[in-house]
Amino acid sequence: MRATVQVQKFNPETDAAPRLREYQLDVAWRGNTVLDALFQIKHELDGSLTFRASCRSAICGSCPMVINGRERLACQTLVADEIDRCGRIEVRPLRQMRVIKDLAVELDPFWGKVRAITPYLTPKPNRDAVALPQDVEGGFHNVDACIMCGACVSACSSLEVSPGFLGPAALAKAYRFVADPREGRTRDRLESLGGEHGIWDCVRCNFCVEVCPKDVKPMEAIIRLRREALREGLTDHPGARHITTFMAIVRREGRLNEARMPVAMVWPNLRRMLAIVPLGIRMFLKGKVPAWFHRPIPGIREIRRLFDARETSK
Amino acid sequence: MKYAFYTGCAAKGACPELYQSAVKVAKLLGIELDEMTSAACCGAGVVREGDADLSLAINARTFAQAEAKGLPVLTICGTCQGVLANANKTLKEDPAARDRVNAMLAPDGIAYRGTVDVKHFLWVLIQDVGLSKLRQAVKRSLAGLRVAPFYGCYILRPSKDLGLDDPNNPTSLEELITALGGERIDYSGRIKCCGFPLVLENEPMALAMGGNATAEAKGEGADCMVTPCPLCHMSLDIYQERAGRQRGERLDMPVFHLPQLVGLALGLSEQDLGLSRHMVPVTKAMGKIASPTS
């Protein structure tokens, strides 16, 4: 099979800007991966091509790159599939990371964030049991399947606009320790994870879920961290208030009331109230502010009973 | 073509023009809508953050109402579509979860058997109405109008819950724009996040996301944007001026709800479609298209 492979080449020491270089390859069989293709280019066409790889089995996490627009492991992506889908293969380095050369990116900031969440157990004092109990719910929701490849970090919408955000990989790792019944610092962890650049900065865009090669669903882990923070009573953050306010409105009216929601979120902070008023007035003039008093939906009794039953079962 | 019509909160709240335009377009295309007036909010992914089973139960109640009517659910909100599809998938594929949820609903005599399908209006237009029928219904071609599609997250991802489009290279909005005679703009922001879920808690981040996509569409020469999600619409339209201020530029980019763009091509008037309710005036885009021919 003939394949056109375009690879982003860039040597910051000699090049002014990255450029796409095109290679024509004869791919031996349909089972060849993009990583095989990159090795073939390096061996036959361009010895200077730089990329990371190790296990070739989607275990080590060394070869994530942006293949035809989306973060993938090169060793897990078939040349034939990409040619069928896009007619050619375009390979670029992970996003939101400094390029060292070609497809190799700087990973120190990535590991710095993983270290920042204290990625090891700090056990409760005086505990005999060291072994993990068998019945941990959902086996940490699959977060321990993470191979730390960084694909989710490259795809993250929040990181794109706020580089300090801890990011999906580190937060998924953090959930693994918050969920561990042997952990002794659960509340401390949740308090610190709820701070600046923490769990409340996730925009829930699902990109990390979509690109993860190991089905870790980092966003689900972040949602669970938020839920745990609420359960611990850490309800002061605007992100936490967003959830509690939203739920209170749905309980009362059955639907979200977009007039009440922003006001309830910022109340009683006068400065923040004043910040939302001008926009509110302009929306009102366009007929975009719904009535303050909504009539609840028919059958609201059923909705309230569901909420109340959950409240009493806690 | 008859559906249980799930309006979502935004179409009954801050985006009444979405409700109004969807109802009028559906009527013109022979789509019969049986409005689910007693359906509750889908939770928008927020209720699920507080309590996963509660969110499932609220949505199972909605599905049970459609099931009783024997109708598929039609949504006009990308976020509702994503949240309902995710809940429905869990309820259909995880019998333990369905049993738990049905036990919660039992005191009110409600049970969901797991037989309902949920479809966004965009998918109904493409799969059930069909682009050829739509093409024939066009009374005012959008020729000359350069439209930047903006999908929104929940109608694309996670793709395991959804299914019509390739989440990395979706085509349905593009096909629709072309069928209406418009010119589609290609840009990377079309599958990105509008930032809306953060707008009340971290406005600068939200504005940066919406602003990036809008500025990119503008840079590619778009006359307007179109989105199948009212939450994206709020982010891109209501917050556009603030996003522009944060970037230090005037974006001036009209944003249409999906049914509004279809309605324009079908010959509906600006009043019919509620175009005066937008924060960013649509005049710039309207100037590009001809008057309807009868």
Side-chain angles (χ1 to χ4, degrees), chain A residues 210 226-227 258 282 288, chain B residues 14 17 48-49 159 241:
Chain A
E210 192 67 43
R226 291 178 174 183
R227 202 177 288 148
E258 287 150 329
R282 288 181 53 223
K288 288 185 95 63
Chain B
E17 71 280 4
R48 191 163 74 93
E49 294 187 287
S159 54
E241 197 200 339

Side-chain angles (χ1 to χ4, degrees), chain A residues 48-173:
Chain A
S48 77
L49 180 63
T50 304
F51 54 92
R52 284 199 185 93
S54 181
C55 77
R56 310 192 189 197
S57 309
I59 289 296
C60 76
S62 298
C63 67
M65 38 196 89
V66 177
I67 300 172
N68 284 337
R70 190 44 55 212
E71 287 76 6
R72 308 284 307 270
L73 294 179
C75 71
Q76 210 183 20
T77 307
L78 295 183
V79 168
D81 285 355
E82 293 306 302
I83 296 287
D84 287 351
R85 204 164 66 83
C86 299
R88 53 112 181 82
I89 298 174
E90 184 194 281
V91 187
R92 294 179 187 267
L94 288 188
R95 293 174 258 227
Q96 327 210 41
M97 301 179 199
R98 192 181 68 79
V99 174
I100 299 171
K101 184 163 179 289
D102 298 343
L103 301 171
V105 294
E106 177 79 73
L107 288 168
D108 288 0
F110 172 87
W111 292 112
K113 286 176 181 176
V114 173
R115 276 193 294 273
I117 61 94
T118 320
Y120 44 83
L121 200 67
T122 44
K124 291 171 184 158
N126 310 322
R127 259 191 79 100
D128 301 331
V130 179
L132 184 66
Q134 294 283 305
D135 55 350
V136 174
E137 185 202 346
F140 301 129
H141 189 64
N142 208 31
V143 291
D144 41 3
C146 174
I147 56 173
M148 292 280 145
C149 69
C152 58
V153 166
S154 167
C156 176
S157 300
S158 290
L159 264 170
E160 194 179 343
V161 299
S162 177
F165 177 45
L166 276 171
L171 289 173
K173 177 63 79 186

Side-chain angles (χ1 to χ4, degrees), chain A residues 70 85 160 204-205 207 210 220 226-227 254 256 258 272 275 282 287-288 298 301-302 305 310, chain B residues 9 13-14 17 38 41 48-49 51 61 104 108 154 157 159 166 168 192 200 241-242 277:
Chain A
R70 190 44 55 212
R85 204 164 66 83
E160 194 179 343
R204 288 190 283 111
C205 68
F207 263 122
E210 192 67 43
E220 293 295 326
R226 291 178 174 183
R227 202 177 288 148
L256 186 65
E258 287 150 329
R272 294 197 62 208
R282 288 181 53 223
K288 288 185 95 63
R301 197 184 40 79
E302 296 161 10
R305 199 191 51 70
R310 296 301 285 178
Chain B
C9 303
E17 71 280 4
S38 59
C41 169
R48 191 163 74 93
E49 294 187 287
D51 186 332
R61 173 181 172 275
M104 290 165 70
D108 286 308
Y154 283 81
R157 295 179 294 271
S159 54
D166 172 349
N168 304 317
K192 290 190 180 176
L200 291 177
E241 197 200 339
R242 287 187 179 200
R277 286 184 186 269

Side-chain angles (χ1 to χ4, degrees), chain A residues 187-249:
Chain A
R187 190 182 166 91
D188 291 353
R189 280 180 184 274
L190 287 167
E191 275 179 1
S192 108
L193 290 168
E196 195 189 12
H197 298 318
I199 53 174
W200 301 109
D201 278 0
C202 165
V203 73
R204 288 190 283 111
C205 68
N206 267 307
F207 263 122
C208 59
V209 177
E210 192 67 43
V211 302
C212 176
K214 290 297 185 185
D215 200 26
V216 167
K217 300 190 186 77
M219 189 192 89
E220 293 295 326
I222 296 171
I223 287 174
R224 284 165 180 246
L225 285 170
R226 291 178 174 183
R227 202 177 288 148
E228 291 302 321
L230 287 176
R231 204 172 286 170
E232 278 288 336
L234 304 171
T235 51
D236 267 353
H237 192 280
R241 287 185 70 157
H242 188 235
I243 299 175
T244 51
T245 309
F246 194 110
M247 290 179 78
I249 293 176

Side-chain angles (χ1 to χ4, degrees), chain B residues 106-122:
Chain B
D108 286 308
I110 302 167
Y112 177 48
R113 286 179 286 119
T115 64
V116 168
D117 287 324
V118 187
K119 265 191 167 179
H120 191 278
F121 192 56
L122 172 63

